[in-house]
Amino acid sequence: MTPAPQPAPTPSRRTALGGAALAALALTTMAAPAANAATSASAPTKSRTNESGWPTEYALPDGWLPEGIAIGGKPYAYQGSRANGAILRTDLRTGEGTVLYEGGTGQVSVGLKLDHDGLLYVAGSTGVARVIDSRTGELATTHQLTSATGHFINDVTLLGDRAWFTDSRHAVLYGVPRGRSGGEISALALTGDWVQLPDVNNANGIVGTPDGRGLIVVKSTPGELYNVNVGTGHATRITLVGAADVVNGDGLYRIGRTLYVVQNRLNLISVWSLDRTATTATLTRTITDPRFDVPTTAARYGDRLYLVNARFTSPQLPETTFTAVAVSI
């Protein structure tokens, strides 16, 4: 994920992801637009549907600048805005969306994960992580993980009693206690095979290992996967079989030993089979779709993955349209 400073979104009936954000991906301090985001947004749903009638593509508000998406046990998707940190909740059955959390000046919402208790964990890019009640839109907690500059809090996953956040500009993972009350934040330095590269995005998407004991992190540049020990921070590079790399790797999603890697600017999802120790990954197939326009992250509901199109190669303007699309898995 890679946010950039943009003007506040205006609700609309169509969606697409703007793209002047490539340079902005590197930015960790963003001048977010006006905090007065719209409190509701309707998105048409009939552009594409499957046999069940549920849309396979739906619109987000114009100028939304999406990058993260989260889905829980109910058919609702939550999409964050890089423009001002707002959160849009969309009914997957209809494609209709409502702004759940209005965000504010200087806020950014990129990676998202929804917990079983209804709390939404949000990577805030500029050094912060937020916890939002997905039922009410209430901001429950704000965690200051790092200073606002020189860092990029990018993505998040839930493992054990913590939400783990990546920092694309530092070789550190941050573990935030789950729940409303907060607690001591863990700073886990990445060691072992991990080599931090300067002036590019390193750690990006993150998921738990199949055994629930470690973390898998994608390093966007040059396109590597790592198995991280959550006790020591030791990172073991995962051997890739069937492809040389996962360049432009962004969001990760795992089902059992199957790992889905969203490779944003390549407009594809690579699908990998992990071995028992999650130290070797074998490419089994790739998923492409003509509707992909720099997809960044993925979330699952039923037999579908839902992705937001970040459109980093298009102008990121208030009138830029954005969509989310669903593909069968």
Side-chain angles (χ1 to χ4, degrees):
M1 302 182 180
T2 20
Q6 297 295 339
T10 54
S12 80
R13 300 175 55 81
R14 297 207 44 192
T15 316
L17 202 49
L22 177 56
L25 295 185
L27 295 178
T28 57
T29 306
M30 287 166 247
N36 193 15
T39 57
S40 66
S42 177
T45 65
K46 298 299 183 181
S47 52
R48 303 206 182 200
T49 61
N50 72 346
E51 316 77 57
S52 69
W54 288 26
T56 58
E57 179 177 3
Y58 58 84
L60 308 176
D62 288 356
W64 187 256
L65 309 187
E67 191 163 342
I69 183 171
I71 301 172
K74 297 180 179 179
Y76 297 96
Y78 299 83
Q79 296 100 174
S81 170
R82 289 177 289 112
N84 66 352
I87 304 291
L88 184 77
R89 178 171 58 195
T90 301
D91 188 329
L92 298 177
R93 296 164 296 188
T94 65
E96 295 296 323
T98 302
V99 174
L100 171 74
Y101 173 73
E102 293 188 5
T105 301
Q107 292 188 22
V108 175
S109 292
V110 280
L112 312 171
K113 285 297 180 295
L114 183 63
D115 208 344
H116 59 81
D117 58 2
L119 293 179
L120 190 65
Y121 293 81
V122 182
S125 180
T126 54
V128 302
R130 289 186 296 279
V131 182
I132 295 169
D133 190 318
S134 67
R135 295 155 295 196
T136 66
E138 171 197 2
L139 176 62
T141 313
T142 298
H143 299 279
Q144 190 69 46
L145 305 182
T146 68
S147 60
T149 58
H151 297 267
F152 179 11
I153 306 305
N154 198 337
D155 208 350
V156 56
T157 197
L158 306 176
L159 182 70
D161 62 353
R162 292 183 178 270
W164 288 96
F165 292 81
T166 57
D167 184 341
S168 293
R169 294 299 171 140
H170 278 252
V172 177
L173 303 179
Y174 298 94
V176 170
R178 291 161 72 169
R180 294 176 175 271
S181 58
E184 184 176 353
I185 296 171
S186 303
L188 185 67
L190 296 173
T191 61
D193 295 339
W194 190 273
V195 177
Q196 186 76 7
L197 301 177
D199 304 321
V200 295
N201 284 333
N202 288 258
N204 198 330
I206 182 171
V207 293
T209 55
D211 63 9
R213 298 178 181 177
L215 295 164
I216 296 173
V217 177
V218 62
K219 191 177 185 186
S220 296
T221 307
E224 299 165 344
L225 293 170
Y226 288 84
N227 183 323
V228 179
N229 184 309
V230 293
T232 66
H234 187 279
T236 300
R237 183 174 172 181
I238 296 174
T239 300
L240 302 182
V241 178
D245 56 50
V246 286
V247 67
N248 296 321
D250 200 326
L252 301 180
Y253 195 87
R254 183 185 58 76
I255 303 172
R257 290 189 188 175
T258 300
L259 180 68
Y260 298 84
V261 182
V262 182
Q263 295 179 248
N264 54 34
R265 292 173 184 273
L266 300 186
N267 287 315
L268 65 82
I269 305 167
S270 53
V271 186
W272 303 82
S273 176
L274 298 167
D275 71 346
R276 183 179 57 82
T277 60
T279 54
T280 298
T282 301
L283 182 67
T284 60
R285 63 190 175 110
T286 59
I287 301 172
T288 60
D289 193 287
R291 297 169 299 158
F292 286 173
D293 194 348
V294 194
T296 45
T297 55
R300 176 194 179 194
Y301 192 81
D303 62 354
R304 294 176 172 186
L305 283 183
Y306 289 82
L307 305 95
V308 289
N309 282 316
R311 302 193 68 197
F312 290 142
T313 56
S314 301
Q316 308 262 290
L317 303 173
E319 61 271 22
T320 302
T321 58
F322 294 89
T323 56
V325 299
V327 293
S328 296
I329 55 172

